[in-house]
Amino acid sequence: MKYDFDEIIERAGTGSVKYDLRTKIFGTEDVIPMWVADMDFRTPDFIADAVHKQMEDPVFGYTCRDDAFFNSVAGWVKKRHGWDIRKEWITFSPGVVSGLSLSILGLTAPGDRIIIQPPVYHPFYFIVTDSGRELVQNPLVPDNGRYHMDFEHLRSVIDPDTRMMILSNPHNPGGTVWKEDELRQLGEICVENGIILLSDEIHCDLVTKAFRHTPAASVSEAISDITITCMAPSKTFNCAGLSTSVVIIPNAGMREQYNRILNAIHVGLGNIFGNAALAAAYEQGEEWLEQLLAYIGANIDYAADFFRSRIPGIRVAKPEASYLLWLDCRELGMPQEKLCEFFIREAKLGLNDGSMFGKEGEGFMRMNIGCPRSVLQEALENLEKAVKGLRAG
């Protein structure tokens, strides 16, 4: 079946965060929203069919996850990422960020130190500080559009109170796909120091053709034993509203601690429709995903060529994963507040402010190109016109 990613879907007025919060976020509705990381493509038919089938049940009662749920997760992870996982390792979270937060609450104590690697997905900051833990930063090192880990600095910030490290794998917002040797070095440092590695792998299925995702826990048995992995079909299959994610914890003691918190706040049963959707996505989604990756890859190529030839004042390296572009706007010479205002008022684009990912993101903007090509073309032409206006002024 050929899927249509060029279809324009009207999302305004549907309760969409991306569209219906434009005035709240940007001060105006007059922007093309290219910020929050969901795509403007129709959720696949096999997911809609699974939800419709579930709706035929005359009772929407309390639900449990059956073998189809667990088998679909294990089968997908094995086939796509080469990692053998056991059914008993798999537990639940309403979302990946929820899974990260539950892990912090269940496996660390107030005052414990938790390391993150900025620039990085902004909830990493507040899930640490809002839970009363101490935030420690190990900044990534930029190198010609790709980020690298600073292992020497990492070792220098670890002390006996350092309990956990949160990894973005693949990296958001930079799009770096961490190599196995990088993950091995990181994991071995965590093993040596008794640090739990909390790996956010929500973008793992969106790796571009030239790269391969490596689950952090798959690198070695020792690293597996200290790693909590959070995954979901939400980014991959554009179904974040179904609030269904998985948390994979091989270590039985850590899994028990996680599940204790999950059950204490009574969110472990999940969403009856989300359970059905996840199983359908992982059982039937491979062909749709391959077509999506080809379309996203072409969008990335189109945007990269456009910036290089028509907006050279903004630099963008092709991401190794995801549909998010990390735009280096520093050559425009604007302070961050003015840069954000420029994108909203002049380019008519609603993007993520790079500084929300940490001070290392100042001078950057994050652009979501998970949209029909015609929308991307309009957005880039808006931006080109705005940048030319700067030069003319």
Side-chain angles (χ1 to χ4, degrees):
M1 177 178 180
K2 180 72 169 63
Y3 293 98
D4 182 11
F5 298 104
D6 290 315
E7 179 187 13
I8 301 295
I9 298 172
E10 179 56 64
R11 299 185 64 192
T14 65
S16 163
V17 167
K18 189 175 186 179
Y19 282 79
D20 293 335
L21 294 186
R22 281 178 289 181
T23 298
K24 179 178 179 179
I25 300 299
F26 304 109
T28 177
E29 288 190 359
D30 188 22
V31 292
I32 299 173
M34 307 180 83
W35 59 297
V36 67
D38 69 3
M39 300 181 288
D40 289 331
F41 307 130
R42 183 178 295 275
T43 299
D45 54 343
F46 45 86
I47 291 180
D49 290 345
V51 171
H52 289 154
K53 182 179 179 180
Q54 187 67 56
M55 290 178 66
E56 293 173 0
D57 192 315
V59 179
F60 298 165
Y62 293 121
T63 188
C64 60
R65 285 173 288 281
D66 58 13
D67 285 343
F69 181 97
F70 294 102
N71 292 339
S72 68
V73 173
W76 182 264
V77 172
K78 171 63 175 176
K79 187 171 186 178
R80 299 296 299 189
H81 309 301
W83 182 26
D84 281 307
I85 62 174
R86 301 175 187 170
K87 174 181 176 179
E88 61 265 26
W89 295 357
I90 304 169
T91 182
F92 174 80
S93 174
V96 162
V97 175
S98 303
L100 302 176
S101 295
L102 290 165
S103 298
I104 289 171
L105 294 172
L107 287 102
T108 70
D112 283 349
R113 303 172 83 240
I114 299 176
I115 302 171
I116 66 171
Q117 296 177 306
V120 74
Y121 184 47
H122 57 282
F124 284 17
Y125 295 84
F126 62 75
I127 61 174
V128 173
T129 57
D130 287 356
S131 62
R133 278 63 170 172
E134 180 183 344
L135 185 70
V136 180
Q137 300 190 36
N138 167 226
L140 298 172
V141 179
D143 179 17
N144 196 30
R146 188 183 191 277
Y147 283 102
H148 297 276
M149 299 187 197
D150 186 341
F151 295 111
E152 183 177 352
H153 178 268
L154 174 60
R155 290 183 182 278
S156 75
V157 299
I158 293 172
D159 70 11
D161 294 324
T162 306
R163 177 61 175 155
M164 181 177 282
M165 179 164 192
I166 311 178
L167 172 69
S168 182
N169 177 36
H171 180 254
N172 175 14
T176 297
V177 173
W178 301 116
K179 299 174 183 177
E180 183 173 339
D181 66 317
E182 293 172 307
L183 294 170
R184 187 178 302 278
Q185 289 185 72
L186 179 70
E188 289 176 351
I189 291 172
C190 291
V191 171
E192 291 166 10
N193 290 277
I195 295 170
I196 296 167
L197 183 59
L198 182 55
S199 189
D200 173 357
E201 304 194 7
I202 196 169
H203 292 280
C204 66
D205 296 320
L206 297 168
V207 172
T208 58
K209 289 295 184 181
F211 299 89
R212 181 178 183 275
H213 174 71
T214 301
S218 71
V219 173
S220 75
E221 186 173 341
I223 295 171
S224 174
D225 197 50
I226 52 95
T227 300
I228 298 172
T229 304
C230 299
M231 293 179 170
S234 53
K235 303 295 184 193
T236 311
F237 296 100
N238 213 31
C239 57
L242 291 171
S243 298
T244 303
S245 302
V246 294
V247 181
I248 304 168
I249 313 176
N251 182 297
M254 289 169 51
R255 190 167 62 250
E256 181 180 357
Q257 289 176 276
Y258 175 89
N259 284 333
R260 185 180 298 119
I261 290 295
L262 178 72
N263 295 327
I265 61 175
H266 207 67
V267 295
L269 290 179
N271 180 318
I272 188 172
F273 301 108
N275 292 340
L278 179 142
Y282 287 157
E283 289 171 357
Q284 304 174 52
E286 197 153 27
E287 176 57 33
W288 186 90
L289 178 56
E290 290 302 318
Q291 292 185 37
L292 171 74
L293 291 173
Y295 193 92
I296 291 295
N299 268 5
I300 290 171
D301 290 342
Y302 177 84
D305 291 343
F306 196 105
F307 278 106
R308 182 170 53 252
S309 62
R310 296 169 63 172
I311 319 177
I314 298 176
R315 291 180 292 170
V316 57
K318 290 184 179 180
E320 298 170 358
S322 197
Y323 46 81
L324 304 170
L325 298 184
W326 190 227
L327 307 183
D328 184 347
C329 307
R330 290 174 292 182
E331 288 185 12
L332 298 182
M334 299 182 193
Q336 192 69 23
E337 184 176 352
K338 186 175 179 181
L339 179 65
C340 293
E341 191 70 11
F342 165 77
F343 270 87
I344 295 168
R345 303 301 171 191
E346 304 301 325
K348 307 294 185 183
L349 299 178
L351 274 60
N352 287 109
D353 173 358
S355 66
M356 72 192 304
F357 302 94
K359 64 181 180 62
E360 294 81 3
E362 292 181 2
F364 290 79
M365 300 291 287
R366 193 187 76 168
M367 184 180 199
N368 177 349
I369 61 169
C371 60
R373 187 75 39 75
S374 60
V375 175
L376 176 59
Q377 180 179 351
E378 180 185 357
L380 294 176
E381 288 174 352
N382 282 4
L383 183 54
E384 178 188 27
K385 182 178 179 181
V387 171
K388 285 181 176 178
L390 282 176
R391 292 171 183 162

